Amino acid sequence: MTTHVSTISTTTAGHGSRRATQRCGPKPLPEGPCATPQEPALEGLPPLGGFAACGLDGSLRNPCQARRFVAHTLHLWELPLLVADMTLVVSELVTGAVRHALLAEPQEHPVDYPLWLGLVRHPDHVVCSVADPNPEPPGRRDADSGDFEGFGLELIGALSESWSWSLTEPRGKTVWASLALPGRD
């Protein structure tokens, strides 16, 4: 069986977070077709963040692929201190999506990349998100004392500033977690 992975390159992203808007006001509109960080329209804003995404085929290899993708992206963003926690969080998110969203309910019309992993860098945190086609909310399982499974959301909650999920149109959901940049509160 061939494993498919699709990647969207790291790019600069604008500021749309509530915190950035509260600190700096709304994002100014660029005056020309290609605004750059040197243009006066962007002065006063925190450094631009980044965005990276990876399509995953829903195979059991996806958690390993997701960890490599996250580690590579965070090293490119010069955030090596975030790699250990973020790869663990992403591994749990992707494992949950593969096990509970895809394997539990096979799709009627399979697609090449039923899962999407995204990373967004903000001035003081990085958000990772995993989108899957199943609209069922992520749930905590009551794990037996001898059971080593069922603790993924507890682990995500312990390592992240916050996490949540939302329904995704036209169907499915996105589960996300936010981790603070090292040395920032």
Side-chain angles (χ1 to χ4, degrees), residues 54-143:
C54 177
L56 301 167
D57 66 1
S59 74
L60 294 175
R61 296 182 200 154
N62 286 168
C64 180
Q65 294 165 333
R67 287 190 300 270
R68 284 195 312 260
F69 173 77
V70 166
H72 177 75
T73 301
L74 292 176
H75 282 292
L76 286 175
W77 290 348
E78 299 178 358
L79 296 173
L81 295 176
L82 199 56
V83 170
D85 288 349
M86 185 65 82
T87 56
L88 190 52
V89 167
V90 165
S91 185
E92 291 297 328
L93 290 174
V94 171
T95 297
V98 170
R99 284 187 178 166
H100 304 293
L102 296 180
L103 296 181
E105 294 183 30
Q107 298 178 358
E108 291 178 30
H109 307 288
V111 295
D112 289 338
Y113 304 111
L115 303 178
W116 280 91
L117 163 62
L119 296 173
V120 179
R121 180 180 178 173
H122 296 275
D124 55 358
H125 63 279
V126 175
V127 176
C128 60
S129 61
V130 175
D132 68 59
N134 187 329
E136 292 299 315
R140 291 181 164 94
R141 271 190 3 180
D142 292 327

